[in-house]
Amino acid sequence: MTSSDFWVNLYPMSDVIHSKDLEREVLSGIIKHPHIFPEVDRFLSEQDFFLRENYAIYCVLRQMVPENIANNERVNPVLLSERIDNFGMKFHSSFDIFNYVDGMAFSQISEKATLDAVRQLQRKTLLRDCDLKIADEIINNNDNKDTIK
């Protein structure tokens, strides 16, 4: 059993270790306010995004947004979706990346709310990382004990 298996069994899809809504808020804020991306990117990485689709979106945003900022342009949701689609990552069959990103583009999130969401997402990542380390220690300690005969 791996630590992630242990954790998923203990807290299945728990909001303690990740939040789809929080990840979506951060991504929506970056799409709406790309000029804050350099500040956000100093604190976040792809690993902060627990959900596969959000991970892919952040990876592509990291490539796109510096160019958008340099050209003083907004993030184009269609272009973002196309690049994600070309990224080659597979999602479940009912997931439509174009609709998902389009929904983010219409979010009314403010810059301040985006930065607050970034802080909360960092906290979730730290909690998840610490909890996985603790789970590893528990599993390793149990594996290293002599078995009862």
Side-chain angles (χ1 to χ4, degrees):
M1 176 188 308
T2 66
S3 61
S4 58
D5 293 335
F6 171 83
W7 202 246
V8 168
N9 290 335
L10 189 59
Y11 295 105
M13 299 305 284
S14 173
D15 198 41
V16 172
I17 60 171
H18 73 87
S19 169
K20 182 177 183 173
D21 292 337
L22 189 56
E23 290 180 16
R24 188 178 164 105
E25 279 183 51
V26 170
L27 296 170
S28 296
I30 293 169
I31 292 168
K32 294 292 285 187
H33 311 285
H35 59 277
I36 67 170
F37 183 73
E39 182 178 352
V40 168
D41 195 45
R42 287 190 355 222
F43 299 103
L44 293 183
S45 76
E46 295 90 348
Q47 303 309 314
D48 291 300
F49 294 90
F50 189 82
L51 299 171
R52 188 175 183 87
E53 59 269 20
N54 293 339
Y55 173 91
I57 293 167
Y58 190 75
C59 288
V60 174
L61 281 170
R62 285 186 99 181
Q63 296 169 1
M64 283 183 67
V65 171
E67 185 178 319
N68 290 104
I69 293 171
N71 296 328
N72 201 25
E73 297 173 343
R74 298 184 76 61
V75 174
N76 181 327
V78 174
L79 183 58
L80 174 60
S81 297
E82 287 174 353
R83 287 192 184 177
I84 293 164
D85 198 40
N86 293 334
F87 196 59
M89 191 174 278
K90 301 294 181 203
F91 304 108
H92 53 83
S93 60
S94 64
F95 182 75
D96 183 347
I97 192 68
F98 290 90
N99 284 336
Y100 190 67
V101 170
D102 197 48
M104 287 181 183
F106 285 104
S107 168
Q108 297 300 310
I109 191 164
S110 69
E111 289 179 34
K112 182 184 180 318
T114 300
L115 296 173
D116 289 344
V118 167
R119 287 185 203 94
Q120 292 175 37
L121 185 58
Q122 280 185 299
R123 186 172 186 279
K124 295 263 185 214
T125 300
L126 289 171
L127 287 171
R128 182 173 63 237
D129 290 349
C130 289
D131 288 338
L132 288 175
K133 286 177 186 170
I134 291 168
D136 275 339
E137 286 179 31
I138 292 169
I139 291 167
N140 288 335
N141 284 338
N142 286 338
D143 286 348
N144 292 334
K145 290 183 179 179
D146 292 331
T147 57
I148 300 175
K149 296 182 182 181

